[in-house]
Amino acid sequence: MSTVIVGAGAGMGRAIAAALAPQHGPVGLIARRPAELAAVAEQLHRSGVAARPYPGDITDESALRTALSRARDELGPFSAVVYNASQFVAGPPTSTP
């Protein structure tokens, strides 16, 4: 079983990856900035954790589905998915999705 962390490229997502990965590897890392994502994967590799980066932006449903599908195909079934990503939508409450 594997764990997937969405929003793993920086900040809290990166910290969650570092905390969970040693006990719950292999880990799939999804975020929108490939360079930051690769740095997190490399950090985890250095600590002995199997981690793979999967670039994907939560604002692009197709890209997110592709990243999740690739992670599942390469790492196997997920035992957990941590959804740490968010998006900001400005506007009055009656018009925001």
Side-chain angles (χ1 to χ4, degrees):
M1 301 296 265
S2 61
T3 301
V4 171
I5 302 167
V6 181
M12 193 178 341
R14 185 179 193 138
I16 291 168
L20 287 181
Q23 297 85 19
H24 301 281
V27 178
L29 307 168
I30 299 175
R32 63 188 165 116
R33 292 186 288 270
E36 289 182 3
L37 200 54
V40 175
E42 179 59 31
Q43 172 190 355
L44 294 175
H45 281 289
R46 285 194 306 268
S47 66
V49 175
R52 291 200 181 167
Y54 300 98
D57 188 337
I58 65 163
T59 64
D60 180 344
E61 184 178 345
S62 176
L64 182 58
R65 285 182 182 273
T66 297
L68 287 166
S69 292
R70 284 187 52 221
R72 185 191 61 236
D73 291 346
E74 294 177 13
L75 301 175
F78 306 147
S79 60
V81 175
V82 178
Y83 195 86
N84 178 63
S86 64
Q87 78 182 65
F88 177 77
V89 179
T94 57
S95 68
T96 54

